[in-house]
């Protein structure tokens, strides 16, 4: 890996990194985004993402500490050594272990999920015999990147096959999303598409649609989730739109025993995902 030193905040590479960290339109235009931290970068590169530019602060991360990341990087990648003050300027958050990378944007489609079967648990009758049935999370019009990141973290922990984000209001490579997911955005196949396309794909693949909603619903632990299942959630403010309510196989709810009538979407996702895990483990 080629190594150079940058000491000026006016360097074009530093200015580019700053733009990628704070501007979604720049990330989309350049097809690049930033990943901070050793753990996140190791998961990112291990999942096959391409990073050709690294910024490392030697005062924070030594050569030996960087070796595991360097081993996963392309041979022609460049590493810019920057002083602590400059590193802290381009870092989106504190405590990121002294390394940041520019990573090439990757876009998955619903069709790509077919090719991913077997890398996680597989897709019901689409997958080889012995694979577990699909478990998918669908989020409609999620706005806060931190919430989406937290859902991805829970999806990874539960062994979910994919997360489908319908009509998103944030890009998948927002730094807050990557931070909240602790790198799960790289380990869980994540697709953005319209609600109509997601519904068609789920029905074409015989995956039951369970919508989380208060009205006309059953308690979530009374609904079978051992078969191919998509758990669908909307925003905390408005819930799901009618198109999802009408497409649902069943409506489910989490009992609310206090004055509040809803939980944070990431908390709800974790509860519902691990109910599916509980049912499936019990079946085995």
């Amino acid at each position: 890996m080629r190594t150079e030193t940058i000491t000026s905040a006016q360097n074009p590479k530093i200015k580019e990194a700053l733009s990628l960290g704070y501007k979604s339109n720049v990330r989309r235009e350049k097809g690049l985004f930033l990943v901070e931290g050793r753990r996140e970068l190791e998961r990112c590169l291990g999942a096959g993402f391409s990073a050709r530019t690294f910024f490392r602060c030697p005062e924070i991360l030594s050569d030996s500490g960087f070796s595991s990341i360097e081993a996963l990087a392309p041979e022609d990648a460049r590493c810019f050594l920057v002083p602590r003050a400059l590193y802290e300027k381009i870092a989106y958050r504190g405590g990121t272990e002294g390394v940041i990378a520019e990573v090439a944007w990757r876009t998955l489609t619903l069709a790509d999920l077919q090719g991913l079967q077997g890398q996680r648990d597989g897709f019901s009758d689409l997958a080889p015999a012995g694979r577990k049935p699909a478990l998918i999370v669908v989020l409609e019009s999620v706005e806060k990147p931190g919430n989406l990141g937290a859902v991805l973290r829970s999806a990874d922990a539960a062994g979910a096959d994919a997360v489908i984000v319908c009509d998103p209001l944030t890009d998948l490579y927002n730094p807050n999303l990557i931070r909240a997911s602790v790198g799960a955005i790289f380990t869980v196949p994540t697709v953005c598409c319209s609600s109509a396309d997601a519904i068609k794909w789920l029905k074409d693949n015989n995956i039951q649609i369970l919508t989380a909603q208060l009205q006309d619903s059953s308690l979530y632990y009374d609904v079978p989730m051992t078969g191919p299942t998509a758990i669908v959630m909307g925003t905390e403010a408005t819930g799901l739109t009618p198109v999802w309510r009408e497409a649902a196989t069943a409506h489910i709810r989490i009992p609310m025993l206090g004055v509040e009538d809803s939980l944070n979407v990431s908390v709800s996702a974790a509860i519902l995902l691990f109910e599916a895990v509980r049912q499936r483990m019990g079946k085995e």
Side-chain angles (χ1 to χ4, degrees):
M1 181 182 293
R2 294 175 295 168
T3 302
E4 304 173 41
T5 298
I6 295 178
T7 58
S8 172
Q10 300 307 310
N11 185 284
K13 291 301 299 180
I14 299 299
K15 289 183 176 181
E16 179 181 69
L18 285 167
S19 295
L20 291 173
Y22 289 93
K23 297 180 180 179
S24 176
N25 63 318
V26 174
R27 290 194 289 271
R28 293 180 184 277
E29 178 185 334
K30 291 184 175 292
L32 297 169
F33 61 97
L34 297 184
V35 178
E36 303 180 25
R38 290 175 59 187
R39 176 172 50 180
E40 288 85 346
L41 264 173
E42 287 173 359
R43 290 177 179 175
C44 176
L45 298 174
F49 282 75
S50 177
R52 297 185 179 274
T53 302
F54 296 84
F55 300 91
R56 179 168 70 88
C57 177
E59 300 163 71
I60 303 173
L61 183 63
S62 66
D63 290 349
S64 60
F66 184 61
S67 60
S68 61
I69 295 171
E70 187 174 9
L72 295 170
E75 290 185 3
D76 60 349
R78 292 191 298 172
C79 180
F80 295 104
L81 303 181
V82 296
R84 183 187 291 267
L86 193 52
Y87 177 83
E88 292 175 349
K89 183 178 180 66
I90 61 176
Y92 195 79
R93 68 184 199 269
T96 53
E97 304 169 302
V99 62
I100 300 170
E102 290 183 358
V103 180
W105 193 292
R106 177 190 288 180
T107 301
L108 294 179
T109 67
L110 290 169
D112 292 321
L113 295 183
Q114 308 299 128
L116 292 169
Q117 66 183 27
Q119 290 188 26
R120 293 183 70 79
D121 284 337
F123 287 101
S124 62
D125 40 279
L126 298 177
R131 299 287 188 191
K132 295 179 182 178
L135 179 58
I136 295 171
V137 179
V138 181
L139 298 175
E140 184 187 31
S141 299
V142 62
E143 181 178 10
K144 297 179 180 179
N147 280 344
L148 177 50
V151 170
L152 281 159
R153 187 174 182 180
S154 295
D156 179 88
D161 296 280
V163 171
I164 299 174
V165 185
C166 297
D167 310 311
L169 300 176
T170 182
D171 73 72
L172 293 182
Y173 301 120
N174 181 293
N176 281 329
L177 189 157
I178 296 172
R179 174 179 61 181
S181 78
V182 197
I185 181 63
F186 309 121
T187 61
V188 180
T190 306
V191 171
C192 292
C193 64
S194 68
S195 290
D197 286 344
I199 290 168
K200 182 179 186 304
W201 186 84
L202 292 169
K203 290 190 172 183
D204 286 348
N205 287 289
N206 300 312
I207 298 172
Q208 71 168 339
I209 298 172
L210 304 183
T211 54
Q213 59 185 76
L214 290 174
Q215 307 83 4
D216 186 28
S217 56
S218 302
L219 292 171
Y220 71 97
Y221 43 74
D222 289 334
V223 176
M225 301 184 190
T226 53
T229 299
I231 296 169
V232 187
M233 288 169 290
T235 64
E236 295 168 45
T238 59
L240 288 165
T241 58
V243 66
W244 279 106
R245 297 171 189 263
E246 294 166 7
T249 309
H251 306 150
I252 58 176
R253 74 179 187 277
I254 298 169
M256 303 297 296
L257 306 181
V259 297
E260 298 292 341
D261 63 0
S262 68
L263 297 170
N264 178 280
V265 66
S266 64
V267 175
S268 297
I271 291 171
L272 299 176
L273 278 165
F274 279 92
E275 172 60 17
V277 170
R278 184 193 68 80
Q279 291 186 21
R280 292 165 186 225
M281 291 180 70
K283 185 178 180 182
E284 295 173 349

